[in-house]
Amino acid sequence: MRALLTSVGLANDSIRTALTDLLGRPISECTAVHVPTAVYGLPEGPTYATEMTRYWDGIGWADLGTLELTALPSLPDELWRPALEAADAILVAGGNSGYLSYWAHHTQFAGLLPGLLEKAVYVGVSAGSCLLTPAYNYDRQRLAETGVYYDDEYDEAAPLGAGDSRGVGLVDFHLRPHLNSTDFGDLSPAAMERAAAKVDGPLYAIDDQTALAVADGDIRVVSEGDWLLFNAEPDQEGS
């Protein structure tokens, strides 16, 4: 399995080069499918979805399609699955983590990913990156009190019934993007350390100039910014 897990996409030349390396050839020779679902769990979701589609189109793919997970229950497989299976890259957008997880697990998408990623490169942005990890961390007390799912670190909400705390679990570490960003509340190193204390296993905290390149179990940090690793195994200290 090959994956590039980012905060905001191909933010610098190092991250873009890492994607080209994972693809094994130039982006201009590869096809991609964009999954924008997570943005619809945010205010102004349709606007963000349009912006993200324009962003990925501008990267220069040979062909770029869009797959909206919420549409899949009403569609026969033959209308969408062949294009997904033929893609060289699957681009999963950021947005509301719980909303994305819900639709990934309530459609065939989560179940198909292991097979799809035998061929395609997974490219995640923010929530899209976190989907590949074992689980999100939700504050269940606030869930009981308010009836909505809140991401414990980002304070983002999805309506109860359309939120989920499960990742897909194709990597064995946890991830918190947007380290030190001022756009999502407290994402300081101290906040990341608190998040790491609530999970089992390693947790990478990456800023918007950093990505994780995963190839057949090997993890490489690609960074022109800052990142932290918590709960590290002895052989991960130098990652």
Side-chain angles (χ1 to χ4, degrees), residues 53-79:
T53 299
R54 288 174 178 166
Y55 168 77
W56 285 116
D57 188 52
I59 297 299
W61 300 95
D63 185 65
L64 177 67
T66 297
L67 181 70
E68 176 45 56
L69 299 186
T70 60
L72 298 190
S74 64
L75 297 173
D77 286 7
E78 60 265 25
L79 291 185

Side-chain angles (χ1 to χ4, degrees), residues 30-170:
C30 298
T31 63
V33 170
H34 177 221
V35 179
T37 302
V39 299
Y40 292 106
L42 299 178
E44 301 183 25
T47 298
Y48 288 134
T50 300
E51 291 175 355
M52 286 186 177
T53 299
R54 288 174 178 166
Y55 168 77
W56 285 116
D57 188 52
I59 297 299
W61 300 95
D63 185 65
L64 177 67
T66 297
L67 181 70
E68 176 45 56
L69 299 186
T70 60
L72 298 190
S74 64
L75 297 173
D77 286 7
E78 60 265 25
L79 291 185
W80 59 270
R81 188 163 168 174
L84 187 62
E85 292 175 337
D88 297 307
I90 300 172
L91 319 173
V92 184
N96 190 297
S97 301
Y99 190 72
L100 173 61
S101 178
Y102 177 89
W103 283 107
H105 286 284
H106 283 75
T107 62
Q108 298 181 58
F109 188 69
L112 287 173
L113 270 180
L116 293 170
L117 298 186
E118 292 178 4
K119 169 184 177 290
V121 176
Y122 184 100
V123 183
V125 176
S126 193
S129 294
C130 295
L131 182 66
L132 228 57
T133 68
Y136 300 122
N137 183 25
Y138 285 100
D139 187 327
R140 295 297 175 179
Q141 181 62 35
R142 281 193 286 176
L143 169 62
E145 292 173 352
T146 65
V148 293
Y149 281 96
Y150 285 92
D151 185 299
D152 194 40
E153 295 303 320
Y154 306 122
D155 198 33
E156 63 183 23
L160 185 61
D164 201 318
S165 62
R166 292 174 291 170
V168 178
L170 294 184

Side-chain angles (χ1 to χ4, degrees), residues 178-202:
H178 308 302
L179 172 66
N180 294 324
S181 173
T182 59
D183 296 331
F184 303 92
D186 182 10
L187 293 176
S188 64
M192 298 297 189
E193 186 173 12
R194 291 194 298 272
K198 299 176 183 178
V199 299
D200 295 324

Side-chain angles (χ1 to χ4, degrees), residues 172-173 200-204 229-239:
D172 60 2
F173 56 83
D200 295 324
L203 183 146
Y204 287 88
L229 174 59
F230 301 95
N231 309 336
E233 300 293 337
D235 61 350
Q236 293 178 308
E237 294 289 353
S239 296

